[in-house]
Amino acid sequence: QVRLVESGGGSVQAGGSLRLSCAASGRYAMGWFRQAPGKEREFVAAINWGGSTTAYADSVKGRFTISKDNADNTAYLQMNSLKPEDTAVYYCAARRLNFGLGRTLYEYDDWGQGTQVTVSS
């Protein structure tokens, strides 16, 4: 099983920035998802195994950036210009056997424990 450890969540005012980290036990294609209270978990961003290709949800495009450091198997989500509607628990996820981008929950095999992001207006 892949081990994923997230960090970097917290509280910030609207317009602020946060960076989430996800330390993985190996090198994988990775994704970030989020779940707000009473809502389904939704796709935020994805990056392929090599780190050369990325994909974003329309709601975060231009504000969030996903990246990964293959030297230490860590994925990042840089979140800028945060809005109250970005408030959610953020989860990182890994694809064990597929090197490409995944945009749905079902394309991922392992999940982190989640980290809370709260944006106040």
Side-chain angles (χ1 to χ4, degrees):
Q1 187 171 353
V2 175
R3 184 168 178 262
L4 301 170
V5 180
E6 298 152 354
S7 60
S11 297
V12 66
Q13 289 194 326
S17 298
L18 285 173
R19 189 176 82 153
L20 306 183
S21 300
C22 177
S25 54
R27 186 173 174 183
Y28 306 99
M30 303 286 290
W32 287 95
F33 290 75
R34 66 187 182 187
Q35 188 166 18
K39 295 189 176 181
E40 294 185 351
R41 194 171 298 189
E42 64 176 7
F43 170 73
V44 175
I47 191 165
N48 69 335
W49 182 83
S52 61
T53 308
T54 58
Y56 297 93
D58 288 343
S59 59
V60 307
K61 205 171 290 184
R63 300 188 297 121
F64 290 11
T65 303
I66 188 172
S67 61
K68 66 198 299 276
D69 184 339
N70 290 326
D72 64 3
N73 298 324
T74 301
Y76 301 95
L77 185 69
Q78 177 66 44
M79 305 185 294
N80 298 329
S81 302
L82 282 160
K83 304 175 181 180
E85 51 263 44
D86 294 317
T87 295
V89 177
Y90 283 70
Y91 297 89
C92 70
R95 307 183 79 187
R96 286 187 220 162
L97 301 178
N98 192 307
F99 290 176
L101 299 173
R103 293 173 175 83
T104 69
L105 298 172
Y106 311 104
E107 295 176 276
Y108 290 86
D109 304 296
D110 299 274
W111 295 82
Q113 80 283 2
T115 186
Q116 177 70 46
V117 171
T118 302
V119 185
S120 58
S121 57

